[in-house]
Amino acid sequence: MLQNILIDKAETLKPELFKHIVKPSRAVHVTRDAEAFQGWRMLDAGSPEDAYVKIWDRSDEIILDFCQYCVGYLSFEIESEVNVDCPLRLKIILGEVPAEIGEDFSGYNGSLGRAWLQEEILVLDDPPEKVRLPRRYAFRYVKISAEYNSRYYIKIKNIQCETVTSADMTAVAALPESFSVELRQIDRISLDTLKNCMQTVFEDGPKRDRRLWLGDFRLQALVNYQSFKNFDLCKRCLYLFAGLADENGLVPSCLFERPQPHSGKSQIYDYTALFAPSLLEYAQASGDWATAAELWPVAERQLRIVLKEVDGDGLFQDNKKWWLFIDWSPQLDKQTAEQGVVIFSLKKALELSKALGREPETWIKDAIVKMSDAALKHLFDQEKRVFVSGRDRQVSWASQAWMTLAGVLPSAGAAEAISTAANTPDAVKPAGPYLYHYIVEAMLAAGMEKDAYALLEQYWGAMVRLGADTFWEVFDPQDQYLSPYKSHIINSYCHAWSCTPAYFLRRQKSQPFCAER
Ligand code: RAM
């Protein structure tokens, strides 16, 4: 019953979407180029008007470049001869990046469903004047091919996209000119990334997976508080998570809105712990402490659940019951990072309970002390001055980041541990922007402002230099083809967890200094 009330509340907060019409800016050709991102480059092929009026006989194709990232509904007009003697077959491919247009989807062998690749086959018996694709697409490039038609002619014209978002771009000013051009560009791309993921929930990516994930949500919300300030969308998401908790009170790590809100059934340990920090941050940003008070039992429940995986010595143990995420790196041992996430979340929960004027939560305090002591005793290498993880005492950036955010060491010790890991050649590095966010956040917490902004500029700036319109789900500067799903074309190239430079930059009044690159 209570669950239904929470879902009903969430549904009343469903936003109206802002709509804009966007038209392509140019026609292009796609060509192989070893120097370009993932080996594909777009070459200018003139104005879109020339491409629209192209007359098709049998088979041919046009590629249009919208020169900006669009999420929405594509439409175009068809002009055909009267004596059409067979159905018209059109293939439409939409791509976030050039590789999706250049490569042949029939060779796809990734681990996620092929239907995520954006492709539409239209077979029209009586070609209408106007076509509007029913599915929402996420793209910059559109390729339309006429496939083996009979000997009649058609013209395609007036292609446009009706874009949708719940982010109000007019509510956000550009960063002041006291910031470097590069940082302003990184900020703008971050906001474009978030905007395109802000729909009726905070989607992780508008091409894929198009759903609400708890870990992604925390980062999206943090950027939103510094920019669009759409508090109701955050509130809606918090109620959806709470309303879909299972019979043990465990909130889902991801959820779907349609056909009606339902759990995605994935349970990620670290995401579960982050519900409490997310609730606190929402209340701090919006001032809506009533919602925080109403959802406090849910936050508390998540922490009681994660503490079940902590042994008598105060150490997190992987009992193989949960998906441990932290990052996509396959080599990463996650024990220490998970320990850090839990301590960090317990501390935020304590802050929340105090702000709500609750009686002192001694169980939270006790767990913080016990887990912090255990971390120092068992997970900190006194000689190397660095946190280690797992049986092989692995050194990773992830362990230092989360232990820093957990505040287990004083900041000088945390800075030393982060620098030691960064200077250890075989330390496991992050595989994607989600963990890079936490590295930057940890550096700032450890007083390493210069390094934090240098890393931000280096990592996100590298995506910009490779032509990013929006920031990516996965990015390893050493491997442009890296994919957790065994295919780079199924990766999401507008992925909201990568939008956090705007959070770091917008909390600054002026240009933060950057270390030499
Ligand atoms: C993928 C998505 C999502 C992330 C999970 C762990 O499905 O990239 O953003 O939160 O994995």
Side-chain angles (χ1 to χ4, degrees), residues 56 106 226 417:
W56 275 317
S106 64
Q226 298 294 333

Side-chain angles (χ1 to χ4, degrees), residues 204 208-209 213 216 268 271 323 325 328 473 485 495 497:
D204 58 338
R208 207 221 79 239
D209 305 331
W213 285 89
D216 305 51
I268 298 181
Y271 284 12
W323 175 3
F325 181 61
W328 276 120
E473 174 185 20
Y485 321 109
H495 213 70
W497 69 16

Side-chain angles (χ1 to χ4, degrees), residues 47 80 130 141 143 155 194 211 253 276 284 290 349 388 395 462 510:
S47 86
S80 53
K130 190 155 181 163
Y141 306 102
K143 177 163 91 177
K155 285 180 190 174
L194 181 60
R211 74 197 69 158
S253 289
Q284 285 171 331
V388 293
V395 177
S510 60

Side-chain angles (χ1 to χ4, degrees), residues 259-302:
Q260 66 282 320
H262 62 283
S263 161
K265 302 281 179 215
S266 299
Q267 292 306 345
I268 298 181
Y269 186 74
D270 28 316
Y271 284 12
T272 304
L274 289 171
F275 184 88
S278 307
L279 184 58
L280 170 68
E281 288 151 0
Y282 164 73
Q284 285 171 331
S286 65
D288 176 7
W289 292 95
T291 294
E294 186 183 358
L295 297 183
W296 163 259
V298 183
E300 178 187 345
R301 185 78 197 121
Q302 304 320 300

